[in-house]
Amino acid sequence: MKLAESMSRLGTETAFEVLVKARALEAKGRSIIHLEIGEPDFDTPRHIVEAAKEALDQGWTHYGPAQGLPELREVIARDVSESRHIQVGPEHVCVVPGGKPIMFYSMLALLDPGDEVIYPNPGFPIYESMIRFTGATPVPMPLEEDRGFTFDLNLFRDRLNSKTRMVVLNSPQNPTGGVIPCEEMADIANLLRQRDVMVLADEIYSRIYYGDKPPVSITAFPGMLEKTIILDGFSKTYAMTGWRLGYGVMPASLAALVSKLMVNSNSCTASFTQRAGIAAITGPQDGVTAMVEEFRRRRDAICKGLNEVPGFRCRVPGGAFYAMPNVTGTGMDSKELADFLLYEAGVSCLDGGCFGQYGKGFIRFSYANSMANLMEAVERIKKVSPRWTSRS
Ligand SMILES: Cc1ncc(COP(=O)(O)O)c(C=O)c1O
């Protein structure tokens, strides 16, 4: 079978591979604590599940418009306008199966071979995979631990040139939990305003933050709304990863093209899940508040625990549900260490290198697991730590 050349450029998400390794160990009777996968360990709030059931009973089981149900797009437009302090309408919204397709479709719609895309590194692996798949050139923007995992604006300025077609921003960020502060976002907007570039603003963790104020969206700065695709969805905020429901907010002309890509691929997003999406946004938000409060408790506890591990140094992240300690002090390569923790301590976590070259030397722990399991994981790691302290 001769494969398309473009397939050789398609990457993947290593988290799923690590999960397979961890499950294989479990099948042999090993006890494994899963801190590798990035999904809330909470149930989808009851009223959302009920809305989906009701929608099925009412016959929301047919094709719908490719761009998404107008009533859901209306609700999303209102919600996004309020939360980002912008003005958008349903014509700007594309509902798709999860947040990820917005990366896929917007890059397919906007990138040509030879274009450059600046993206965060370490970062969600699908950015680089999709940039390469389109034939464009990925230009990594190193995130710096001592800046709270944001980037150096001078380096960013240096990377901008006439070939730059797209800039990917992700705040709060996966894998570091970093949040881009308002002043820095203003500076980024100032650098991009006059340029012919589009921003892919991945705001999938926009509701999961621990500061006093919500993370700022680049769309809130003058002239940026017209240049931005907001990626958001229901997976993280409402613990709905398996429902596959997300959306993009973008200029109406681009929304029409993304809808065309939907027509050519999915036809539409499942109708009854979209009805549940309306219930999610318009219904009570106390489930989200409670989840974020619980994540905060866990964040504080796991960061404290990880900082007690010899050779680990863990910054306290401002958002999402990941802790990303620097593990260079162990003297071990981070990939080797992640494997060691899986096989020797029964703690499944991800080598920072899975998120790009600048993630090497770090390990990502997802704290979407119970407090008891997190504390047990820290204890297990401490217990095996003499194995690396004795080597250094
Ligand atoms: C930064 C980031 N963007 C997007 C996604 C994809 O979200 P979804 O499951 O809704 O496709 C994830 C999922 O882990 C993510 O971490």
Side-chain angles (χ1 to χ4, degrees), residues 269-300:
T269 307
S271 300
F272 66 96
T273 59
Q274 294 191 61
R275 297 295 302 176
I278 298 175
I281 294 181
T282 58
Q285 301 295 303
D286 47 338
V288 183
T289 313
M291 180 180 76
V292 174
E293 269 321 298
E294 178 57 20
F295 278 148
R296 180 199 299 278
R297 244 168 41 87
R298 296 178 190 175
R299 172 198 70 156
D300 293 345

Side-chain angles (χ1 to χ4, degrees), residues 59-66 69 266-271 274:
W60 291 92
T61 52
H62 299 278
Y63 290 132
L69 295 178
N266 282 280
S267 292
C268 65
T269 307
S271 300
Q274 294 191 61

Side-chain angles (χ1 to χ4, degrees), residues 3-4 47 83 88 129 138 166 168 196 260 324 327 341 361 379 386:
L3 296 177
H47 67 280
S83 56
V88 292
S129 164
M166 184 183 273
V168 180
D196 182 18
K260 213 165 165 184
M324 183 94 163
V327 295
L341 293 179
E379 282 318 305

